[in-house]
């Protein structure tokens, strides 16, 4: 019912030359993918990536967007700039942005609104830290993070956003949530959306799992009823590995 979506988050890896090489290697390997495929590349790679992506269905994604249209915001990029550069998807509120760059639920929400208004599809990241899971706060936290991020959007806009559930303790650590843990928490996120916006909306929202997802664990995770895709860090940097995730069974 929901088309799966697999997105690569390259983080601060690969300049334009390597970006083109990776995309060119990836293209033939994912040409028959059933899933929507996205590569979220560093900003300096947009032009090279756009050229390399010609003739493929792989979509271009960014890793952040600012919430103002223009102005004195050194180092930031607006939704209109991303759009003009050919970007269609944008990761917002990744835990690394929250942890190292001071992003809050409120700024995440502003960025989500700016992205949607600017015609981009946000991939909104939520997830708990290890101590929050151990203290039993996971469900309340992810529900809150999700609803705050969606504030101000219309129901039709919400249907099109992507949520990525990324337990912080599983990112880049080799630790993955079990299939059941990931499914259960994604179910909590969907219920939170349902309670506020109704089932017609919550049934449409695609919710990914992220955190050490790789060719070995992708099939188990994707077999879960609530999991609609993945946000892939480390394993998106090698064409063969990312293709195996994209072509999950
Ligand atoms: P990882 O990163 O796959 O390397 O754990 C996922 C992410 O941070 O989006």
């Amino acid at each position: 019912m929901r088309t799966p979506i697999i997105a690569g988050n390259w983080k601060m890896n690969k300049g334009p030359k390597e970006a083109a090489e990776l995309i060119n290697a990836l293209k033939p390997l994912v040409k028959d993918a059933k899933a929507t495929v996205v590569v979220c590349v560093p900003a300096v790679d947009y032009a090279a990536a756009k050229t390399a992506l010609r003739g493929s269905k792989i979509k271009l994604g960014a890793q952040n967007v600012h919430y103002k249209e223009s102005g004195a915001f050194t180092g930031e990029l607006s939704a209109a700039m991303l759009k003009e550069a050919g970007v269609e998807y944008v990761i917002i509120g990744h835990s690394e942005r929250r942890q190292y760059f001071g992003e809050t639920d409120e700024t995440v929400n502003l960025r989500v609104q700016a992205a949607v208004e600017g015609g981009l599809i946000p991939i909104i990241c939520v997830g708990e830290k290890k101590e929050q899971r151990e203290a039993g706060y996971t469900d309340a936290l992810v529900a809150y993070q999700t609803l705050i991020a969606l504030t101000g959007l219309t129901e039709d806009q919400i249907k099109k956003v992507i949520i990525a559930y990324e337990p912080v303790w599983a990112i880049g650590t080799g630790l993955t949530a079990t299939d059941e843990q990931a499914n259960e928490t994604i179910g909590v996120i969907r219920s939170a959306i349902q309670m506020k916006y109704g089932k017609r909306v919550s049934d449409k929202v695609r919710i990914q799992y992220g955190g050490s997802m790789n060719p070995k664990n992708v099939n188990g995770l994707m077999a879960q009823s609530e999991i609609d895709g993945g946000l892939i860090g480390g394993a998106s940097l090698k064409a063969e590995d990312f293709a195996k995730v994209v072509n999950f069974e």
Side-chain angles (χ1 to χ4, degrees), residues 18 45 57 67 94 98 112 121 134 177 179 191 200 211 245:
E18 283 186 323
D45 298 347
K57 285 188 293 188
Y67 41 88
H94 190 278
R98 295 178 191 255
V112 169
I121 301 178
E134 286 168 357
D179 301 345
S191 304
R200 231 169 23 85
V245 175

Side-chain angles (χ1 to χ4, degrees), residues 9 11 94-96 166 170-173 210-213 231-235:
N9 174 11
K11 309 192 179 183
H94 190 278
S95 63
E96 287 151 16
E166 299 208 303
I171 295 177
T173 57
S212 301
M213 198 162 172
L231 183 56
I232 322 297

Side-chain angles (χ1 to χ4, degrees), residues 46 50 65 78-88 115 118-121:
Y46 298 157
K50 195 68 200 155
V65 61
S78 72
M81 290 172 183
L82 298 186
K83 186 93 182 156
E84 188 180 338
V87 168
E88 292 179 67
L120 301 170
I121 301 178

